[in-house]
Amino acid sequence: MIKEDKRAKQIKTIYRRWKDARVEWDNHAREDIDFYLGNQFSENEVDELQSRNQSSVPIDRLYSAIEQFKAIITSKPPKFSAVGREDSDNKLANVWKTILEYVWDISDGNEVFKQVIHDYSVTGLGYFHSFIDREADYGRGEVKFNYVDPFRVFVDPNARHRYFDDATGMILSTILTKAQLVDTYPQLSQEIEGGKTLLEEIDTYYEDETFPSAQNSRIRGSFTPDVVKDYDKGEGSEKYQILEYYSKVKVPFYRVLNLQTQEERILDKENLEKFLSEPNIEEAFSQGLLDLVPVTQTRIKLTAVLGQLVLYEYILNTEKYPIVPVPNIWTNTPYPMSDVRKNKDYQRFLNKTMSLITSHAQASAGLKLLIPQGSVEDIEELERDWANPNATIEYDPSLGEPHFPAPQSLSPSIMQLPQMIEKYIDLNMGIFEMQQGNAEVAPKTSSATMMLEDFGQRRSKSKLRDVEGSLKRLGQTVYNLAKGHYNYQKTFRIVQPNNDLNEYTVNKRLYDNKQESVQSIENDILIGQYDVRVIGNSTMPSNKWGEWNIYMEAYQMGLIDKVEALKKTDIFDKEGVLQRTDVIQQLQGQLQGAQEQIKKLSGDLQTAHRESIQSRKRTEVEKFKSTLKGHEQESKSASKVAVGKLNNAVKLQQDKMNLRNQVSDELERLQRKGEK
C-alpha cells in the first residue's frame, strides 16, 4: 500500500469541509435545475394531482424566459481583445490581440460562453477555466479555456470578493472512470513492486457524484448526471476522483535596473542565474552600473490529488485564479442566486392558479348528481346507466327528486392572474413579450419598436456588464498563462470571416550574420507586464436596420468613411467589396483625370484655334490696311493732281477774266476817248 502524502490528506480534508458548507446551496441550485427542466412538482404534489384526476404538466414560463434571456445575452459572439496603454504599445497590443483571438478560436469560445451563461442563469453561478493543454500542437502545448460545471468547484466559504480573489483556495473536482483515468494518465497502469499497478494501490474509489440528486419528481424524464452515473457497471467503470487544488504562494522575483539606460528587467530565479552567468555582469555590479532588487509576488500553485497520491504540482504564471466565476445575483458570498430561484415562487403560484382553474373546469364539465337517500336501490347501476344517453332509470319519487348542484361562476379576475404572473416573471428576468417576437404587443411604427426594444434591453445590459467583468478576468488569466507558456518562437494565424488573414510571429530571434549571436528579439511577449489592457466586447443584440440607417446617414454626411459603414452590414465578402470598390474608384479617378486632361486639351485647342483665327484676321486686316493705304495714296495723288488742275483752271479763268476786264477797260477808255 502506498503511503498517503500529507498534501493529499490536507487537500481532501479541505474538500470535505468546503463541500459540507455548500450543501444547502447545492440543494437550491439542483431545485433550480429541476424547475428549468420542467420538473416543478414534488412527489406528493404529483400524487395529489393524480388523485384529483388532474394533469401534472406545469405551465412552464421559466424555460421560455431563461432561453430568451440566454438568446439576448449571447446574441453576438463575444471576444476579449487587447489595446495599448499608450501609443508606443500599439504594436505589442496587436500581437496580444491576435494571440487572445487565437486562444478564443481554438477553445470554441462561443460555445463555451453559451454554456457558462446557461449555468449563470439557471444555477446562479457559471465558471470559466483557463488551462494549458500539454498535448496540443504536437506536445508544445496550447493555452485554452473551457466551462466548468458549478457543482465541480468548491471555494473557501469565507471569500467575499466577486471573483474569489480573497479565497484561500479553490478546488476543482473531476470524476473519471478507471478507463478514462488510464487513458488520461497512462503511467497509472504501469506495474510497481509486488506486480500491481499504481492505480490498484490507490485505496479509495469514489461512489458518489458531485452533481446533487433531484429534489422534485422526474415526470419529464430528465437524465442528469446523478441519474446516469450508475448506468454503466461493466469492467473499468469504477469511479475515481481527482482534486485539483489551487492555492496562493509567494514566489521570489528580481528587478534588475540598468542605471545608465534606466532599462528594467524582471527575472525569476532561473533566469537570474542565467543573467548572472553572462560575461562582465559581476564587473557591472561592482561598478554600480546595475542594481538588483529582490521582491516577492503572489502566484497560483496547482496540486492534483488522486486518493493518497499527488499526481503533479507546479506553479502557474498568474496571480489570479484560473477558475473565473460568473456570479448572477451577487450575495457577497460564493453562493449567489439565480434568476430561476428568484422566480420559482411565481412559477409555483402560476401552477397553483392553473390547478384551481382546471378544478373549476372539471366541476363545471362533470356536474355532480344529488339523489335522495334510498330513492335508488343500486347506485353503481345508476352510474352506469347515467353514462347511457338512452337509458331508462327508475327511482322512488316519494323520497325526493334528483338534482344537479350548480357550481358558482369563476371570477374574471382569476382568469387574469396567469397573465399577471407571467408579466412578473418577465419583469424579473428583464425580458418582455415584444422581445420574444409577439407582434400583438409591439408598437405600430418601426421607430417606436426600435426605441422600445432598446429600452427593454437595459436590464439585460446591466447583467451583461457583470458578465463582461468575468470575460475581462478570463482574458487576464489567459494573458498571464500565455505569457509564461509561449516562451518560444511561434506563429499565430487568425482567419477572419471575410477570409482576411492576421499573422504574427512572437519571440522571433534576429541574429547577427557576422557573430551568429542573437541581436534582438521581435515581438518579445515575455517582457512588459503592463503594456496592454485586456478588454471585452458587448454581446447584446442590436437592431441592424436601425444601426444601418444611422451609419448610412453618417456616411452621407461625411462623418464616417465607407469602411466603417460597411462593417454594419451582413455582406459576407466585405474585403472583396472594398477591394473592388477601390479599383472602381481608381478607375473613376483615372477617368476623371483623363476627362480633365481632355477638357484642358480641348480648351487649349479652342484657344489655339481662336488665336489662329485672330492671327489670320490680323493678317487680313494688315493686308487690307496696306491696300487701303495704297488707295489712300493714290487718292491723295489724284486729289493733288485734280486740285492742281483745278487751281490751274481757276488761275486760267482768272487770267482770262483779268484780261477781259483789261480789254473792257481799255475799250471803255478808248470809247471815252473817242467820244471826246
Side-chain angles (χ1 to χ4, degrees):
M1 183 65 66
I2 301 176
K3 185 179 180 181
E4 185 175 20
D5 194 296
K6 293 182 179 180
R7 294 169 294 176
K9 182 178 181 180
Q10 180 185 7
I11 291 173
K12 288 190 291 185
T13 302
I14 295 174
Y15 164 73
R16 286 190 292 268
R17 192 172 74 241
W18 290 354
K19 182 180 179 182
D20 293 340
R22 210 187 65 175
V23 170
E24 186 176 359
W25 184 87
D26 285 353
N27 293 333
H28 281 290
R30 177 55 214 251
E31 190 177 22
D32 297 342
I33 294 175
D34 287 336
F35 264 74
Y36 169 78
L37 296 175
N39 303 325
Q40 299 175 2
F41 297 110
S42 64
E43 294 288 349
N44 295 332
E45 290 172 338
V46 172
D47 294 340
E48 181 65 24
L49 289 173
Q50 291 177 352
S51 66
R52 298 177 183 178
N53 198 23
Q54 292 185 11
S55 173
S56 58
V57 177
I59 308 300
D60 194 352
R61 182 67 174 184
L62 280 179
Y63 178 82
S64 60
I66 290 295
E67 290 300 313
Q68 180 63 23
F69 173 76
K70 288 163 54 179
I72 292 175
I73 292 294
T74 61
S75 177
K76 293 181 181 179
K79 285 187 178 181
F80 39 68
S81 184
V83 296
R85 294 186 179 271
E86 56 184 18
D87 294 340
S88 61
D89 300 327
N90 287 336
K91 181 179 179 181
L92 189 59
N94 290 331
V95 175
W96 275 110
K97 178 181 178 181
T98 302
I99 294 176
L100 292 175
E101 290 182 356
Y102 173 80
V103 172
W104 185 276
D105 289 340
I106 64 175
S107 303
D108 297 329
N110 296 341
E111 293 76 10
V112 171
F113 179 73
K114 182 71 176 293
Q115 183 60 40
V116 171
I117 292 300
H118 172 81
D119 296 335
Y120 165 89
S121 305
V122 177
T123 65
L125 186 61
Y127 281 106
F128 290 106
H129 179 214
S130 54
F131 61 96
I132 299 176
D133 187 354
R134 303 290 179 181
E135 291 187 2
D137 196 13
Y138 294 96
R140 285 186 290 266
E142 294 281 12
V143 177
K144 296 182 179 180
F145 66 90
N146 201 349
Y147 77 92
V148 176
D149 191 287
F151 298 113
R152 292 178 53 196
V153 181
F154 300 87
V155 185
D156 180 6
N158 298 308
R160 295 296 178 264
H161 190 269
R162 186 177 185 86
Y163 304 116
F164 309 152
D165 284 349
D166 56 346
T168 58
M170 302 177 71
I171 295 178
L172 175 62
S173 172
T174 304
I175 298 175
L176 302 174
T177 63
K178 181 178 180 180
Q180 291 174 329
L181 192 61
V182 171
D183 290 340
T184 307
Y185 304 100
Q187 61 271 24
L188 294 177
S189 60
Q190 297 177 358
E191 293 186 359
I192 57 176
E193 297 180 1
K196 293 185 178 180
T197 63
L198 188 60
L199 188 59
E200 293 174 347
E201 291 294 320
I202 297 177
D203 57 358
T204 57
Y205 298 122
Y206 192 82
E207 301 295 341
D208 202 357
E209 175 68 45
T210 55
F211 200 91
S213 301
Q215 304 293 316
N216 295 333
S217 174
R218 292 182 55 250
I219 56 175
R220 304 276 78 81
S222 56
F223 296 91
T224 49
D226 62 304
V227 176
V228 302
K229 65 182 180 66
D230 296 326
Y231 278 12
D232 183 13
K233 296 183 179 180
E235 183 179 357
S237 63
E238 301 91 342
K239 301 292 182 62
Y240 293 85
Q241 184 184 38
I242 298 177
L243 299 178
E244 294 178 280
Y245 179 56
Y246 295 89
S247 59
K248 294 182 178 181
V249 294
K250 295 295 183 180
V251 178
F253 283 88
Y254 303 90
R255 298 202 314 262
V256 180
L257 176 63
N258 190 324
L259 299 178
Q260 289 182 326
T261 62
Q262 298 301 316
E263 180 183 356
E264 187 179 51
R265 298 177 61 183
I266 307 298
L267 304 174
D268 56 12
K269 187 175 181 180
E270 181 181 356
N271 290 324
L272 178 64
E273 294 177 355
K274 295 180 180 179
F275 177 74
L276 294 177
S277 63
E278 295 179 3
N280 302 326
I281 293 298
E282 295 183 1
E283 182 179 354
F285 275 108
S286 62
Q287 294 178 0
L289 302 179
L290 297 176
D291 186 21
L292 179 65
V293 180
V295 293
T296 57
Q297 293 290 298
T298 301
R299 290 293 181 266
I300 302 300
K301 182 174 71 172
L302 171 59
T303 305
V305 172
L306 176 63
Q308 71 272 33
L309 199 65
V310 175
L311 288 179
Y312 50 84
E313 183 179 50
Y314 55 86
I315 296 177
L316 302 173
N317 185 37
T318 177
E319 73 279 6
K320 299 178 177 63
Y321 288 113
I323 300 178
V324 181
V326 189
N328 193 341
I329 303 176
W330 176 240
T331 59
N332 292 325
T333 65
Y335 316 115
M337 294 178 61
S338 68
D339 294 314
V340 175
R341 195 178 313 174
K342 191 75 175 176
N343 294 281
K344 279 192 298 188
D345 292 337
Y346 288 113
Q347 181 63 53
R348 289 192 178 100
F349 187 20
L350 178 61
N351 293 335
K352 181 62 176 177
T353 302
M354 296 306 298
S355 176
L356 293 176
I357 295 175
T358 304
S359 297
H360 185 272
Q362 285 180 330
S364 301
L367 297 179
K368 296 178 176 59
L369 177 65
L370 299 181
I371 59 176
Q373 186 175 5
S375 62
V376 176
E377 295 181 357
D378 191 350
I379 297 297
E380 294 181 356
E381 183 181 359
L382 175 63
E383 292 177 351
R384 289 192 300 269
D385 293 340
W386 194 260
N388 185 1
N390 299 321
T392 302
I393 302 174
E394 296 181 354
Y395 72 98
D396 188 357
S398 62
L399 299 178
E401 294 183 357
H403 67 280
F404 294 99
Q408 295 182 356
S409 61
L410 195 62
S411 174
S413 60
I414 299 297
M415 303 302 296
Q416 297 177 359
L417 272 178
Q419 295 181 356
M420 184 183 69
I421 298 170
E422 291 178 355
K423 289 181 179 179
Y424 272 114
I425 294 176
D426 293 345
L427 184 63
N428 284 338
M429 292 292 299
I431 60 174
F432 307 97
E433 288 192 32
M434 187 199 71
Q435 293 176 292
Q436 302 188 42
N438 189 351
E440 296 179 358
V441 297
K444 301 302 181 182
T445 61
S446 59
S447 59
T449 302
M450 288 188 292
M451 292 179 60
L452 190 59
E453 183 180 6
D454 181 64
F455 292 151
Q457 291 178 4
R458 293 185 176 181
R459 286 282 303 280
S460 301
K461 287 180 180 178
S462 176
K463 287 181 174 290
L464 179 63
R465 297 297 175 265
D466 300 333
V467 176
E468 287 176 351
S470 298
L471 277 174
K472 178 181 177 181
R473 175 59 64 95
L474 174 64
Q476 291 172 347
T477 58
V478 170
Y479 167 78
N480 291 332
L481 292 179
K483 188 175 180 181
H485 177 70
Y486 296 122
N487 54 7
Y488 54 92
Q489 181 174 327
K490 181 178 176 64
T491 300
F492 296 90
R493 296 181 179 89
I494 297 295
V495 179
Q496 303 296 338
N498 57 2
N499 296 327
D500 188 17
L501 179 65
N502 291 342
E503 179 178 312
Y504 284 98
T505 301
V506 300
N507 303 325
K508 185 177 181 181
R509 289 166 171 79
L510 303 178
Y511 292 91
D512 189 348
N513 294 331
K514 295 181 180 180
Q515 300 180 359
E516 296 184 357
S517 60
V518 178
Q519 186 177 12
S520 62
I521 299 178
E522 183 180 357
N523 295 333
D524 187 1
I525 65 173
L526 303 180
I527 61 174
Q529 180 65 26
Y530 303 101
D531 289 338
V532 296
R533 180 167 54 94
V534 180
I535 59 175
N537 70 323
S538 177
T539 64
M540 291 293 293
S542 58
N543 191 298
K544 60 180 181 180
W545 301 114
E547 283 188 355
W548 169 243
N549 290 333
I550 294 174
Y551 274 74
M552 191 62 186
E553 292 177 0
Y555 175 68
Q556 293 174 350
M557 295 174 62
L559 300 178
I560 61 176
D561 57 1
K562 64 179 180 181
V563 178
E564 192 66 25
L566 197 60
K567 289 179 181 178
K568 292 299 177 182
T569 66
D570 292 334
I571 298 174
F572 178 77
D573 191 13
K574 296 183 177 65
E575 188 70 22
V577 172
L578 291 175
Q579 290 178 357
R580 291 189 295 272
T581 306
D582 291 339
V583 172
I584 293 174
Q585 287 186 348
Q586 290 176 2
L587 294 176
Q588 289 177 346
Q590 293 176 1
L591 179 60
Q592 184 177 1
Q595 290 176 347
E596 292 178 355
Q597 185 69 19
I598 292 173
K599 289 180 180 179
K600 182 179 179 181
L601 294 175
S602 300
D604 293 342
L605 183 60
Q606 291 176 358
T607 303
H609 183 65
R610 287 195 299 268
E611 290 179 352
S612 176
I613 293 175
Q614 293 296 330
S615 177
R616 289 196 299 268
K617 287 182 178 180
R618 284 194 297 269
T619 303
E620 294 296 331
V621 170
E622 291 298 329
K623 289 181 180 180
F624 179 75
K625 284 182 178 180
S626 300
T627 304
L628 188 61
K629 191 172 182 180
H631 291 302
E632 183 182 1
Q633 294 294 332
E634 293 177 356
S635 177
K636 286 181 178 180
S637 299
S639 297
K640 286 182 179 181
V641 172
V643 170
K645 290 180 178 181
L646 182 61
N647 289 335
N648 293 332
V650 171
K651 187 176 180 181
L652 181 61
Q653 290 297 329
Q654 286 180 350
D655 290 342
K656 288 180 177 180
M657 289 180 67
N658 289 335
L659 182 60
R660 188 179 291 114
N661 290 334
Q662 289 178 0
V663 172
S664 178
D665 290 342
E666 187 64 31
L667 288 176
E668 287 181 359
R669 187 179 65 79
L670 291 177
Q671 185 177 4
R672 282 190 306 267
K673 188 176 178 183
E675 289 178 358
K676 290 177 177 184

